[in-house]
Short mmCIF file of all heavy atoms in Angstrom, two decimals:
data_model
loop_
_atom_site.label_atom_id
_atom_site.label_comp_id
_atom_site.label_asym_id
_atom_site.label_seq_id
_atom_site.Cartn_x
_atom_site.Cartn_y
_atom_site.Cartn_z
N MET C 120 -9.47 -42.43 -2.65
CA MET C 120 -8.21 -41.87 -2.08
C MET C 120 -7.30 -41.29 -3.17
O MET C 120 -6.65 -40.25 -2.89
CB MET C 120 -7.46 -43.05 -1.34
CG MET C 120 -8.21 -43.58 -0.11
SD MET C 120 -8.67 -42.42 1.13
CE MET C 120 -7.14 -42.20 1.95
N ARG C 121 -7.23 -42.02 -4.31
CA ARG C 121 -6.51 -41.42 -5.33
C ARG C 121 -6.96 -40.05 -5.87
O ARG C 121 -6.31 -39.16 -6.16
CB ARG C 121 -6.44 -42.37 -6.51
CG ARG C 121 -5.55 -43.58 -6.24
CD ARG C 121 -5.37 -44.44 -7.38
NE ARG C 121 -4.80 -45.72 -6.98
CZ ARG C 121 -4.46 -46.67 -7.84
NH1 ARG C 121 -4.79 -46.62 -9.08
NH2 ARG C 121 -3.85 -47.84 -7.36
N PHE C 122 -8.29 -39.99 -5.92
CA PHE C 122 -8.99 -38.77 -6.30
C PHE C 122 -8.55 -37.58 -5.35
O PHE C 122 -8.16 -36.53 -5.66
CB PHE C 122 -10.49 -38.92 -6.28
CG PHE C 122 -11.18 -37.71 -6.84
CD1 PHE C 122 -11.44 -37.45 -8.10
CD2 PHE C 122 -11.67 -36.77 -5.81
CE1 PHE C 122 -12.10 -36.33 -8.54
CE2 PHE C 122 -12.39 -35.61 -6.35
CZ PHE C 122 -12.50 -35.39 -7.70
N ILE C 123 -8.63 -37.89 -4.04
CA ILE C 123 -8.23 -36.88 -3.09
C ILE C 123 -6.79 -36.49 -3.24
O ILE C 123 -6.49 -35.27 -3.34
CB ILE C 123 -8.47 -37.45 -1.64
CG1 ILE C 123 -9.97 -37.62 -1.38
CG2 ILE C 123 -7.83 -36.55 -0.62
CD1 ILE C 123 -10.27 -38.36 -0.07
N ARG C 124 -5.89 -37.52 -3.35
CA ARG C 124 -4.52 -37.15 -3.48
C ARG C 124 -4.26 -36.36 -4.72
O ARG C 124 -3.52 -35.42 -4.73
CB ARG C 124 -3.73 -38.55 -3.59
CG ARG C 124 -2.22 -38.35 -3.31
CD ARG C 124 -1.56 -39.72 -3.40
NE ARG C 124 -1.74 -40.48 -2.13
CZ ARG C 124 -2.29 -41.57 -2.06
NH1 ARG C 124 -2.84 -42.22 -3.17
NH2 ARG C 124 -2.47 -42.25 -0.87
N PHE C 125 -4.92 -36.72 -5.80
CA PHE C 125 -4.80 -35.91 -7.04
C PHE C 125 -5.27 -34.46 -6.85
O PHE C 125 -4.52 -33.52 -7.16
CB PHE C 125 -5.68 -36.58 -8.16
CG PHE C 125 -5.78 -35.70 -9.36
CD1 PHE C 125 -4.84 -35.82 -10.39
CD2 PHE C 125 -6.79 -34.71 -9.55
CE1 PHE C 125 -4.84 -34.98 -11.44
CE2 PHE C 125 -6.81 -34.00 -10.76
CZ PHE C 125 -5.87 -34.10 -11.63
N CYS C 126 -6.41 -34.26 -6.24
CA CYS C 126 -6.91 -32.91 -6.09
C CYS C 126 -6.05 -32.08 -5.18
O CYS C 126 -5.82 -30.90 -5.44
CB CYS C 126 -8.34 -32.94 -5.53
SG CYS C 126 -9.51 -33.55 -6.77
N LEU C 127 -5.39 -32.73 -4.19
CA LEU C 127 -4.68 -31.92 -3.21
C LEU C 127 -3.24 -31.62 -3.92
O LEU C 127 -2.61 -30.65 -3.48
CB LEU C 127 -4.58 -32.57 -1.89
CG LEU C 127 -5.89 -32.66 -1.16
CD1 LEU C 127 -5.72 -33.26 0.22
CD2 LEU C 127 -6.59 -31.31 -1.04
N LEU C 128 -2.88 -32.55 -4.72
CA LEU C 128 -1.57 -32.34 -5.35
C LEU C 128 -1.66 -31.25 -6.43
O LEU C 128 -0.83 -30.48 -6.54
CB LEU C 128 -1.16 -33.71 -5.99
CG LEU C 128 0.27 -33.80 -6.49
CD1 LEU C 128 1.25 -33.51 -5.38
CD2 LEU C 128 0.56 -35.15 -7.11
N HIS C 129 -2.71 -31.23 -7.17
CA HIS C 129 -2.90 -30.29 -8.25
C HIS C 129 -4.10 -29.38 -7.79
O HIS C 129 -5.15 -29.28 -8.43
CB HIS C 129 -3.29 -30.96 -9.50
CG HIS C 129 -2.31 -32.02 -9.95
ND1 HIS C 129 -2.60 -33.32 -9.72
CD2 HIS C 129 -1.09 -31.98 -10.54
CE1 HIS C 129 -1.45 -33.99 -10.13
NE2 HIS C 129 -0.65 -33.23 -10.73
N ARG C 130 -3.78 -28.56 -6.78
CA ARG C 130 -4.88 -27.72 -6.27
C ARG C 130 -5.46 -26.76 -7.20
O ARG C 130 -6.64 -26.43 -7.25
CB ARG C 130 -4.38 -26.92 -4.93
CG ARG C 130 -3.98 -27.97 -3.87
CD ARG C 130 -3.28 -27.30 -2.72
NE ARG C 130 -2.55 -28.36 -2.05
CZ ARG C 130 -2.10 -28.30 -0.73
NH1 ARG C 130 -2.38 -27.29 -0.05
NH2 ARG C 130 -1.47 -29.30 -0.21
N SER C 131 -4.57 -26.15 -7.97
CA SER C 131 -5.05 -25.14 -9.08
C SER C 131 -5.98 -25.91 -10.02
O SER C 131 -7.01 -25.34 -10.46
CB SER C 131 -3.90 -24.53 -9.75
OG SER C 131 -3.15 -25.50 -10.51
N ILE C 132 -5.60 -27.05 -10.41
CA ILE C 132 -6.46 -27.85 -11.31
C ILE C 132 -7.78 -28.07 -10.63
O ILE C 132 -8.83 -27.88 -11.28
CB ILE C 132 -5.81 -29.20 -11.69
CG1 ILE C 132 -4.42 -28.97 -12.35
CG2 ILE C 132 -6.71 -30.01 -12.59
CD1 ILE C 132 -3.77 -30.19 -12.77
N TYR C 133 -7.77 -28.60 -9.49
CA TYR C 133 -8.98 -28.77 -8.77
C TYR C 133 -9.98 -27.72 -8.81
O TYR C 133 -11.07 -27.82 -9.20
CB TYR C 133 -8.70 -29.12 -7.26
CG TYR C 133 -9.92 -29.17 -6.39
CD1 TYR C 133 -10.91 -30.09 -6.56
CD2 TYR C 133 -10.14 -28.03 -5.52
CE1 TYR C 133 -12.07 -30.05 -5.81
CE2 TYR C 133 -11.17 -28.05 -4.71
CZ TYR C 133 -12.24 -29.02 -4.85
OH TYR C 133 -13.39 -29.03 -4.07
N SER C 134 -9.43 -26.49 -8.44
CA SER C 134 -10.41 -25.35 -8.37
C SER C 134 -10.96 -25.05 -9.76
O SER C 134 -12.09 -24.65 -9.81
CB SER C 134 -9.66 -24.16 -7.79
OG SER C 134 -8.69 -23.73 -8.71
N VAL C 135 -10.18 -25.22 -10.77
CA VAL C 135 -10.63 -24.79 -12.12
C VAL C 135 -11.55 -25.97 -12.67
O VAL C 135 -12.55 -25.81 -13.27
CB VAL C 135 -9.44 -24.58 -13.05
CG1 VAL C 135 -9.97 -24.41 -14.46
CG2 VAL C 135 -8.65 -23.43 -12.53
N VAL C 136 -11.05 -27.18 -12.48
CA VAL C 136 -11.80 -28.32 -13.16
C VAL C 136 -13.07 -28.68 -12.47
O VAL C 136 -14.13 -28.99 -13.05
CB VAL C 136 -10.87 -29.50 -13.26
CG1 VAL C 136 -11.61 -30.70 -13.86
CG2 VAL C 136 -9.66 -29.16 -14.16
N PHE C 137 -13.01 -28.82 -11.13
CA PHE C 137 -14.07 -29.29 -10.39
C PHE C 137 -15.00 -28.22 -9.82
O PHE C 137 -16.07 -28.55 -9.33
CB PHE C 137 -13.59 -30.22 -9.34
CG PHE C 137 -12.87 -31.42 -9.86
CD1 PHE C 137 -11.53 -31.55 -9.82
CD2 PHE C 137 -13.59 -32.42 -10.58
CE1 PHE C 137 -10.87 -32.69 -10.39
CE2 PHE C 137 -13.02 -33.54 -11.07
CZ PHE C 137 -11.59 -33.64 -11.05
N ILE C 138 -14.54 -27.06 -9.85
CA ILE C 138 -15.29 -25.96 -9.23
C ILE C 138 -15.85 -25.04 -10.37
O ILE C 138 -16.86 -24.28 -10.15
CB ILE C 138 -14.53 -25.13 -8.22
CG1 ILE C 138 -13.96 -26.01 -7.11
CG2 ILE C 138 -15.30 -24.03 -7.63
CD1 ILE C 138 -15.06 -26.61 -6.24
N ALA C 139 -15.20 -25.06 -11.53
CA ALA C 139 -15.57 -24.24 -12.68
C ALA C 139 -17.08 -24.10 -12.83
O ALA C 139 -17.90 -25.02 -12.72
CB ALA C 139 -15.00 -24.88 -13.92
N LYS C 140 -17.43 -22.79 -13.05
CA LYS C 140 -18.87 -22.45 -13.22
C LYS C 140 -19.38 -22.84 -14.52
O LYS C 140 -20.57 -22.64 -14.89
CB LYS C 140 -19.04 -21.01 -12.90
CG LYS C 140 -18.38 -20.55 -11.68
CD LYS C 140 -18.44 -18.97 -11.61
CE LYS C 140 -17.15 -18.45 -11.03
NZ LYS C 140 -17.17 -17.02 -11.06
N GLY C 141 -18.49 -23.11 -15.54
CA GLY C 141 -18.93 -23.40 -16.90
C GLY C 141 -19.84 -22.26 -17.50
O GLY C 141 -20.88 -22.44 -17.76
#
Side-chain angles (χ1 to χ4, degrees):
Chain C
M120 297 304 282
R121 289 188 189 181
F122 183 84
I123 292 170
R124 198 176 282 113
F125 171 88
C126 288
L127 297 184
L128 190 58
H129 307 97
R130 292 169 207 204
S131 63
I132 301 182
Y133 165 70
S134 68
V135 174
V136 175
F137 297 105
I138 300 296
K140 315 172 214 173

